[in-house]
Structure formats: C-alpha cells, structure tokens
Amino acid sequence: LVIMILHGFGASNSDFADMPTMLNSAAPQLAGTKRIGWVFPQASVGDMGATAWWTLDPMKWMMAAQTGSAGIATLIREEPPGLAECREKMATLVGEVRAAFGD
C-alpha cells in the first residue's frame, strides 16, 4: 500500500510528517498488517514566492469571485499554466513509486 499526499498552495511536504504516526494510532490494524509506503512530494517555489504545483493567480480568482458564480464557473474551466507539466511530473512520480514499492 502506498499513500501519496500532495500539499497545498504555499505549504510544504513536511506538513504531513506526522501522518504515518497518526495512521498507526488511528488504525493500528492496518499499519500492523500492511507494508505502507509514504510519499510526500514537494512542489517548487513559483513566481509568487510560494510553493505550488502549477501557477495560480490569486488576483484573478478574487476578481472572478466579485462577479459571482458565473465568474468562478468560467475560471474553473480554464486550464492554469503549468497544469499539463504537473500532470506529466505526477505520472512520472507514480511510475517511480510503483517501481520502488511494487504494483
């Protein structure tokens, strides 16, 4: 069993460092019977000086929110810059994890 958790915008993979211990406490029967691999990838620092998996434009989101649900609906249908590259990197990472931990 492999558990991969991606951190959020501006966060760090170290935010999840306690997850294995928390799972052992919450579900000792799972931790005791399964080999669990934990993967916490780290996003790079983006143009805004914060970690991000792809480019986010908070001002664009705030402006869309001002126009109501129609503005947000339009924005969520746009593909943000860097999302395609992020998908490729994640696919590579999943392949590496599968090779390291087995299928």
Side-chain angles (χ1 to χ4, degrees):
L1 173 66
V2 174
I3 299 173
M4 183 183 305
I5 302 175
L6 305 181
H7 62 78
F9 178 71
S12 167
N13 61 353
S14 64
D15 294 344
F16 299 109
D18 293 332
M19 290 297 289
T21 302
M22 291 170 55
L23 179 68
N24 286 340
S25 296
Q29 70 282 5
L30 177 63
T33 60
K34 295 266 186 196
R35 176 177 171 234
I36 301 174
W38 294 89
V39 180
F40 306 124
Q42 175 64 48
S44 58
V45 175
D47 296 336
M48 295 185 54
T51 56
W53 297 105
W54 57 84
T55 302
L56 296 174
D57 184 348
M59 291 303 295
K60 190 173 183 179
W61 281 91
M62 290 186 343
M63 290 172 51
Q66 294 295 319
T67 65
S69 59
I72 295 292
T74 299
L75 193 54
I76 64 173
R77 286 168 178 77
E78 292 180 9
E79 183 169 310
L83 182 59
E85 293 85 357
C86 179
R87 286 182 181 134
E88 290 175 18
K89 288 179 183 177
M90 288 300 119
T92 299
L93 178 59
V94 167
E96 292 170 352
V97 168
R98 290 181 78 183
F101 290 94
D103 285 335

